Amino acid sequence: MELLFPLLLVALLVPMFLGVRRQKREAEKVASMQDNLKVGDQVVTTSGLYGTVVELDDTTVDLEIAEDVVTTWLRQAIREVRTEEVGAEETGTETGGSDATDAVEESAEQTETRLTKD
């Protein structure tokens, strides 16, 4: 019975300690990414805005969000640096063939039948 309290403390403190270490590692990784930004990087802000870095300062980043539209953001607002996305080339839509994923409009009766099937 005397060992129950110390074991309970250890069981509660170990996961908390490991969680704090993981959170600290993630914060260091994000800070490193924000410090290593360079002109031309395509980034995503914490609010979900996509842009390209056109100018850097110690605390701010100028992002081009559209042609000739430049906005200024804090470095801490940059969530991630995007890499080239390959998914657009692999969709198969360039071939002009019909996919099984093409949307087909259905009538109200077909929708009712589909939703009431058992």
Side-chain angles (χ1 to χ4, degrees):
M1 216 42 167
E2 294 176 11
L3 291 176
L4 184 61
F5 184 68
L7 286 175
L8 184 61
L9 281 177
V10 168
L12 292 174
L13 291 178
V14 168
M16 189 171 66
F17 174 73
L18 293 175
V20 167
R21 284 185 56 205
R22 182 180 43 148
Q23 185 178 10
K24 186 177 178 182
R25 258 191 321 243
E26 289 294 321
E28 288 173 356
K29 191 168 89 172
V30 169
S32 171
M33 178 270 305
Q34 291 169 347
D35 289 340
N36 294 325
L37 287 173
K38 57 188 179 294
V39 174
D41 282 346
Q42 295 182 348
V43 297
V44 180
T45 65
T46 54
S47 61
L49 183 78
Y50 289 78
T52 303
V53 177
V54 292
E55 191 176 333
L56 295 166
D57 194 356
D58 288 339
T59 58
T60 61
V61 177
D62 288 346
L63 299 180
E64 184 176 35
I65 57 174
E67 190 173 331
D68 297 327
V69 178
V70 177
T71 58
T72 303
W73 295 77
L74 287 173
R75 276 186 184 251
Q76 290 80 12
I78 305 300
R79 182 178 64 194
E80 68 181 65
V81 176
R82 294 189 318 161
T83 57
E84 292 299 320
E85 297 176 6
V86 182
E89 293 87 22
E90 295 177 2
T91 57
T93 56
E94 292 86 13
T95 59
S98 63
D99 266 349
T101 60
D102 288 342
V104 176
E105 193 170 325
E106 60 184 19
S107 67
E109 294 85 22
Q110 290 171 330
T111 303
E112 184 67 29
T113 303
R114 179 176 51 85
L115 293 176
T116 56
K117 280 187 179 177
D118 288 330

